[in-house]
Amino acid sequence: MSYPLDPGAPMRLALGLDMGGTATRAVLAAESGVVLGTGAAGPGNPFAHAPEGAAGALREAVRAALGDHDPAAVGLGVLGVAGGNVLTVPAVGDTFRRAWGDLGLRCPMRVVSDVEVAYAAGTAEPDGTILIAGTGTAAGRITGHRMTRAFAGYGWLLGDEGAGFWLGREAVRALLMVTDGLRPPGMLTDLVAAQLPVDPANPGSDTERTVSAVDHAHPLRLARLASLVSTAAEAGDPVAEDIVERAGRHLFTLATAAYGGGPLVLSGSVIRPATPVGAQLRRRLAGWSPGPHQSAPRVLTAGSGAAGAAWLATAALPGITDPAALHRSIVGTADEWPAAASPR
């Protein structure tokens, strides 16, 4: 979607993209802080998906964000990509640069980590700490808007405790205890059983069918079951409540280990304020002090990652004098923008 430029606004534009494993989102902004367009497409992370497909998502999201605006007016683009160093691989980088050129963009394309983009989506302060819990989990210390130390982010096989994949896996493990006769069924396990693609014609036991359904699916599809944990926990299911409590404990441990001063920005669908895990984590943080005679850190909630990237790009344009005001305009009004087209 695109929106008209204010008549008095200068025609220096910037692009921000958040290229994730499930969706790509783009925001076009003017240096005045006016948001001109938004766009969305499918998965855009070249680490988790084929580079050509990821570059195609970039094209689709950016075209939607640009609308009728001149791509030659864009002075800088910032791309937030998990595992962004994969773009240093010549074939991958070349694929993305071709897509950039195909869009008519002649400005630099700056690739930063998704952690840096998420932090920028929460605050304009240059130094602080970020905790992400969406499909996966990561944390980092930020200095001068750049990540100076990373924590966790080990991926679904070695880590991601407390995030979407882990929640889904724990939900399936609870179901397996039911099918093995080790605990009675409940709301959560009934919800999980209804969602698994179990083939009734399979002659194996319920346990074998459940394991087979999970083993033959992409591991990250377990993250789709995370919402069932929230639903069941909100309804008082004790198994789901236990999973939520353990998730909150894992994330609290990571956040406090990573904390190095300044604001603590929380990002990701699992730890939004209204979610059970998000509420559990915030309760723990409210009673925590990083040291003697020190108060709890200021906890902030990140907005749109693409908006954070757009702010990083716009604030880097020459002559910008008030990046904090720019942040309030671009990121602070994110929830008021019309929604971008849904990714396919």
Side-chain angles (χ1 to χ4, degrees):
M1 301 179 71
S2 63
Y3 314 103
L5 184 67
D6 285 354
M11 283 297 290
R12 291 202 308 169
L13 314 180
L15 267 170
L17 286 98
D18 184 13
M19 307 193 66
T22 57
T24 298
R25 301 194 181 277
V27 169
L28 177 71
E31 68 171 338
S32 63
V34 176
V35 174
L36 306 175
T38 62
N45 186 314
F47 185 78
H49 300 275
E52 284 291 350
L58 180 148
R59 288 189 187 92
E60 182 179 346
V62 170
R63 281 197 186 102
L66 282 171
D68 296 329
H69 298 292
D70 183 3
V74 180
L76 178 63
V78 169
L79 280 62
V81 184
N85 59 356
V86 71
L87 268 71
T88 62
V89 176
V92 179
D94 289 347
T95 299
F96 268 64
R97 282 186 285 273
R98 280 196 301 272
W100 202 247
D102 291 346
L103 292 161
L105 296 165
R106 298 295 179 263
C107 62
M109 179 180 70
R110 180 181 299 170
V111 180
V112 303
S113 76
D114 59 330
V115 174
E116 291 166 355
V117 161
Y119 179 80
T123 181
E125 293 189 33
D127 307 329
T129 306
I130 174 73
L131 172 69
I132 301 175
T135 300
T137 305
R141 290 182 188 168
I142 305 295
T143 305
H145 303 295
R146 303 304 296 264
M147 184 168 66
T148 52
R149 183 174 176 186
F151 296 79
Y154 308 138
W156 63 269
L157 183 61
L158 299 176
D160 286 345
E161 291 89 350
F165 166 78
W166 183 91
L167 291 168
R169 186 186 66 182
E170 293 302 298
V172 173
R173 287 167 60 119
L175 174 60
L176 291 173
M177 293 188 71
V178 171
T179 59
D180 275 350
L182 300 176
R183 69 160 38 125
M187 179 179 180
L188 174 62
T189 53
D190 287 347
L191 289 172
V192 173
Q195 289 296 316
L196 289 179
V198 176
D199 181 5
N202 188 321
S205 67
D206 288 341
T207 295
E208 291 169 341
R209 287 197 295 267
T210 300
V211 170
S212 177
V214 171
D215 282 351
H216 288 86
H218 191 289
L220 294 184
R221 289 186 63 184
L222 283 172
R224 298 178 183 177
L225 302 176
S227 62
L228 303 182
V229 177
S230 295
T231 298
E234 289 168 345
D237 181 274
V239 174
E241 289 178 331
D242 174 69
I243 294 174
V244 165
E245 193 277 333
R246 287 187 285 122
R249 188 165 66 244
H250 282 306
L251 295 171
F252 172 78
T253 299
L254 176 57
T256 54
Y259 185 71
L264 171 60
V265 176
L266 305 183
S267 176
S269 57
V270 169
I271 51 175
R272 296 191 184 282
T275 65
V277 176
Q280 169 78 221
L281 174 60
R282 284 168 175 79
R283 282 194 295 271
R284 289 176 177 272
L285 288 170
W288 174 72
S289 172
H293 313 298
Q294 291 180 289
S295 59
R298 186 160 53 103
V299 177
L300 304 174
T301 300
S304 158
W311 174 72
L312 287 172
T314 311
L317 294 174
I320 296 298
T321 58
D322 194 349
L326 201 63
H327 191 275
R328 288 191 294 272
S329 181
I330 295 175
V331 178
T333 59
D335 292 338
E336 301 172 11
W337 302 339
S342 298
R344 286 198 288 266

